[in-house]
Structure formats: C-alpha cells, structure tokens
Amino acid sequence: VTTGNECSWTVIEWMVRAVKAEDPDHPVGVVTAGCHEPKVRLMMRLTPSLDFLGVNSYGEESMYVGSSLREWGFPKPYAIMEFGPSGHWASPLTEWGAYIEETSSQKVPRYNATCHLCFDDPKCLGAFAFVWGWKWEKTGTWYNMFNEWKAVTEGVAVNCTQCESEVMDTVQACWTGRHRTVRPPTIRSVLVEGHPLKVMSFIAPRQEDLELTVDASHPLDRALVAIWAVTEEKVSDAIGGAWEATNPLLAGVWPGAKKAATTDQGLLVRLNTSGLEVGGEYRLYVFVRQDPNTCRGECKNQEAYASLPFRICHTAVAGDACHESVQFAMQVGIQTHPEMYPGVNATSSFEEVQMLLHQQGTGRCPPPCGLRSWCRTSVQGELCYEQVRWLMEAAGEKPELHPKVPPSGTFEDVQNFLQESGEGFCPKACPPMPGGAQVSGGGVSGPIKVGSLARDRLADATSGAPVIRRTVGAVIASFLVAALPGVAMP
C-alpha cells in the first residue's frame, strides 16, 4: 500500500533489467497493493523497463484500476492480480467495532463488474479472483470461493463438501460467456424477529427464542434449506493474509436441534441467546443450499451465505447495579456535575444515559437494547474535552511517553482512544461522514459511485443477463514481485 520512494523504484528498475538480461523472451512486471496515483507516477518515471503492471485491488476500487491508469497516462498493459469483495480493512464497522461483511449475493456484482471491465479493456491482460480455496480471514466466509469449513459442511443436515460460493457462478459466466446449467441460490435479506436488516448486523437481548429468517431464492425455483451456526467474535490481529485460527461453533444455542448441536437447519429457525454473555460479541452464519430431497439428480455443491456480527444487549431494570447508576445520574449527577455527562441532560431517556455510562465504562452498565447507536463528540466545558486536548498536546510534545495515542490523530481519534482504553470520561465520538454517507442501523451506507460501464456490469450480475466476454490472448509469463521495504543493491 505504501508509495515507496525514488530509491526503492530505482532498485526495482535495476532488478527488472537483471531479470530481462537472464530471460529476454518473457515480459516482466511488478505487482502492487492497490492502484494509487503517486505510486504509479513514480513507477512511470523511474521504471521504464517494466512491461506491465500487476495490481491487487478489492471491492469498488478494483472497478477503477483501468480508468485510473488511463487518466494518469500509464502507457503499458496491466493485470488485476487479485480481486474480490470489499476488503475487511475497508468495510464499515458496527458500533462495537465488528466488521460488517457483505453477503455472498452482495459480493457477486463486484466480482462480475471487475471481471468484465478487465475483459472489455484491451490493455487488461487478465483478472484473477481471490482466493481459489478456503481460509479463515477475520471470518469464515470473507474471501473464499470454496467452503472447506468442516464444521458447517460435514456431518450437518445438508452436507456440502467442497461447497462452492455463488460467486463461482458469476466468475464462470464471465470466463465462458454462459452460466452453469444448475445455478446457486441467492440471498435477498436476513430478518430478525420478522424485521429485514438494513445492514448485516444486529443487537439482541437474552431470550430463549429469537426468530431468525433468511429470505432466499433460486433462479430455477428449486427448494432451499439453510444451515445456521454461531461463533464468538474473536478476531485475529494478523495482517497480510497470515494464518488465523478458526473460531469454534457454539453448542446449545439452537432450541430446535439437539442440546449439543452446533448447527440448525431451516429457512426460519430460533436462536436461544439466554446463555450468552450480556455485552458479548458473536457472529451468526447462515448457509443456503439446495434441498437434497428435491434435487432430482441435479444437486450441486453450491451455496449462498451471510455472516452477521451481533451483540447481546440488556436494558437495566430495578435490582441491577446499572439501574441504580442510571437513576443517580438522571436525578443527581447531571444536575450537579453536567461536565461529567457529555451529551445527556435532564430530558435524556433512560437508555441514552445508560449508553453513555456504558461507553464511559462506569456504573457497571451493559449496552441497552432500545438504543443501538449513540455518539457524542465532546465540546468545550466538558471533562472529556479537557482530557482530549491535554492528551493531544502531551502526545505532540513527547510522543514517546504516549505510544498508543493515534499519531497525527484527529480530535475524534483521540477521544475514541480514551473511550476504548477507559482512561477518561469520554463517550464514543461521532465519526465525520464523507461523501454524504449516513449512519443507518449501525453501518455506514452511502451511494456507490461507479461509471456507466461498471453500472452495466452490476446490472448484468443482478439480472442474470448473459454477457459474452472478449477472448484475451495475452499471457503473463513472468512476474517480478518486488517487496519495496528492505530491497538493497548488491
């Protein structure tokens, strides 16, 4: 992702020439993480011997690789060496910081558009979908073309060994110009207690029968069944595709299944959250497959899936320590020390005050159920404001004494640091919303800006219209994958 500098790109030019001296018969390229103008301009100026550029790009950004290179005057061919869904690093987060993952059906248009935009561009040598296999990266479903997660594919009601994600169908259609005879299912929405989710996440109280529904369909009207599972939300801090441990499935949460069961089946099921930890963070998975009882010999190992983070909430009641804290704040604290209760006043609701105490880490308060999203960027006159300003100045003067403070952080960054670390009386700061995006249901939503051709490709994916690709004769025969840091001249 880094731009590099003149030294590093000069070294790459030397390496390219060295490779060509050994093998003058094959093209040589370099692969970069992302397609960024400063990096490309350095490359054009300092590495004239490169024959092509390889780019790893995900989500919406991959749709702009070709048009961006043309705009910047890059004269040579390019290849999209990795593309796929929106990366976890670019995904919206829940209020509690969990990654919000797109469903497989939401990922399909991205794969389709990127693949066809490459094939329609004479300078694009090829596009390679990631990852051709299965791995756990932040979740069990994020980047996978296949599902090899044995806990949900073997020994369950509908086994699906070497199960193929529905994105496989759209990639094959792009490569061959036609869809498969047997098509995968697709997911329209997931419903909690009968309410469709605007984003793929939710909060839930502790109860014995939380109703879950997946609204799914099949292009050939085949009967469908769903497999459901829950894990604790344990997210590795590994980066760069490093190995991550697979989170185990939770047992005893499916009242419609056996007590020790870790999965349940059906398009509508009930989840028992009564034994889950208040304030605990979890992830719900649903895999939609064709009902094997109705396949008539045509069943394929195909599925659509959704992955949804959720948190257990609880609005304090009489007898809870939190209830006493909220009552004290509402009746005494806000009136006598308003600077300690930023964002609430005498007219604030019980749940607003509880949420503030929860975010401040005081009063032994869990997140309330009736208020999912609440934030407050502190202002002058509040204790949190004074704490943020002091820390920003102190970290600026002696950063070595405050290594965990976000370097060059905004006021909101530092306020959130104090809130998350529990070192101040700060609530969660409200994020700036670029591009007119809005907070809705806990996720950031806004218009996806795509060009006319990208819009056509998105429409092709959602309508199922066949698209015939152009045959691409170019073959990438040799690559120079240069790691910019640490490269040294001999």
Side-chain angles (χ1 to χ4, degrees):
V1 178
T2 57
T3 301
N5 53 41
E6 292 197 1
C7 177
S8 59
W9 286 107
T10 300
V11 171
I12 290 174
E13 171 66 11
W14 173 86
M15 295 173 70
V16 171
R17 291 181 182 181
V19 171
K20 287 188 170 187
E22 290 292 326
D23 181 4
D25 298 323
H26 294 97
V28 180
V30 63
V31 180
T32 65
C35 185
H36 308 290
E37 184 174 3
K39 185 188 301 185
V40 172
R41 293 199 179 281
L42 273 175
M43 188 187 314
M44 287 192 293
R45 182 163 60 89
L46 298 172
T47 57
S49 299
L50 277 175
D51 296 309
F52 70 93
L53 170 64
V55 178
N56 296 346
S57 187
Y58 288 80
E60 184 181 351
E61 287 188 359
S62 62
M63 302 179 195
Y64 294 100
V65 172
S67 60
S68 296
L69 291 175
R70 285 192 296 274
E71 179 182 341
W72 303 330
F74 186 76
K76 298 180 180 180
Y78 70 95
I80 301 178
M81 301 306 301
E82 290 182 14
F83 76 94
S86 297
H88 60 272
W89 57 87
S91 75
L93 303 176
T94 65
E95 296 81 359
W96 56 95
Y99 293 118
I100 297 177
E101 181 182 353
E102 297 169 322
T103 68
S104 59
S105 303
Q106 292 169 328
K107 295 173 183 177
V108 162
R110 299 193 185 281
Y111 280 91
N112 185 74
T114 301
C115 184
H116 282 289
L117 285 168
C118 173
F119 286 145
D120 290 339
D121 185 345
K123 283 199 171 183
C124 186
L125 302 176
F128 300 82
F130 183 86
V131 57
W132 197 260
W134 181 87
K135 62 182 298 192
W136 185 284
E137 189 163 354
K138 308 314 171 192
T139 74
T141 50
W142 206 296
Y143 300 100
N144 305 315
M145 305 289 280
F146 296 89
N147 186 354
E148 300 171 14
W149 188 4
K150 292 184 178 181
V152 296
T153 59
E154 299 180 12
V156 295
V158 181
N159 290 330
C160 197
T161 306
Q162 288 289 315
C163 216
E164 298 175 358
S165 164
E166 66 172 308
V167 300
M168 283 283 292
D169 178 67
T170 196
V171 171
Q172 177 171 317
C174 180
W175 287 343
T176 66
R178 61 183 181 274
H179 288 282
R180 297 179 174 188
T181 303
V182 179
R183 303 282 299 282
T186 188
I187 293 175
R188 286 188 290 262
S189 64
V190 177
L191 297 81
V192 177
E193 293 291 318
H195 300 290
L197 298 175
K198 294 181 180 180
V199 291
M200 292 294 104
S201 65
F202 62 97
I203 61 173
R206 298 177 78 184
Q207 63 183 68
E208 295 182 355
D209 57 349
L210 185 72
E211 183 182 282
L212 304 172
T213 310
V214 59
D215 181 9
S217 63
H218 192 280
L220 302 178
D221 293 325
R222 299 288 191 259
L224 301 174
V225 67
I227 301 297
W228 302 78
V230 171
T231 68
E232 286 190 68
E233 183 74 336
K234 296 180 178 179
V235 181
S236 169
D237 59 2
I239 60 174
W243 179 86
E244 298 179 16
T246 300
N247 290 341
L249 304 187
L250 297 184
V253 296
W254 303 110
K258 295 180 180 180
K259 186 175 182 180
T262 54
T263 62
D264 200 359
Q265 72 172 92
L267 299 179
L268 186 154
V269 297
R270 297 188 180 276
L271 174 65
N272 181 359
T273 61
S274 62
L276 301 184
E277 180 183 355
V278 172
E281 299 174 15
Y282 303 90
R283 187 168 289 267
L284 172 71
Y285 293 90
V286 56
F287 303 90
V288 179
R289 299 164 185 164
Q290 192 173 342
D291 188 342
N293 296 319
T294 62
C295 285
R296 298 191 297 275
E298 297 179 336
C299 239
K300 298 292 183 181
N301 288 342
Q302 300 172 325
E303 67 181 11
Y305 61 78
S307 160
L308 304 89
F310 70 99
R311 182 167 66 167
I312 301 301
C313 59
H314 173 68
T315 300
V317 297
D320 294 345
C322 175
H323 188 272
E324 295 180 9
S325 299
V326 174
Q327 292 285 67
F328 174 83
M330 296 180 73
Q331 296 171 8
V332 180
I334 293 174
Q335 284 74 30
T336 57
H337 294 284
E339 73 280 1
M340 297 182 65
Y341 299 91
V344 297
N345 54 41
T347 64
S348 297
S349 69
F350 183 95
E351 289 181 321
E352 287 174 329
V353 178
Q354 179 177 333
M355 180 64 87
L356 170 64
L357 295 181
H358 166 69
Q359 292 185 1
Q360 289 180 322
T362 61
R364 297 170 62 185
C365 284
C369 290
L371 184 67
R372 170 169 171 163
S373 178
W374 189 89
C375 63
R376 163 75 172 186
T377 300
S378 191
V379 298
Q380 194 166 6
E382 297 173 348
L383 181 58
C384 173
Y385 179 89
E386 301 302 327
Q387 293 173 329
V388 172
R389 296 303 306 175
W390 178 88
L391 185 55
M392 292 181 73
E393 293 176 5
E397 294 175 359
K398 295 185 178 181
E400 68 278 5
L401 298 180
H402 307 277
K404 295 183 179 180
V405 177
S408 304
T410 64
F411 184 95
E412 290 83 1
D413 292 335
V414 177
Q415 179 176 329
N416 283 329
F417 167 77
L418 288 172
Q419 186 267 319
E420 294 165 5
S421 65
E423 296 179 9
F425 282 90
C426 285
K428 187 177 182 65
C430 298
M433 307 302 289
Q438 301 295 320
V439 174
S440 174
V444 177
S445 61
I448 296 179
K449 301 175 183 177
V450 296
S452 59
L453 183 55
R455 282 196 297 271
D456 293 342
R457 295 312 185 191
L458 290 168
D460 291 337
T462 54
S463 68
V467 180
I468 306 301
R469 68 170 176 84
R470 176 184 297 138
T471 301
V472 179
V475 178
I476 301 173
S478 177
F479 299 97
L480 171 61
V481 181
L484 302 186
V487 177
M489 294 288 285

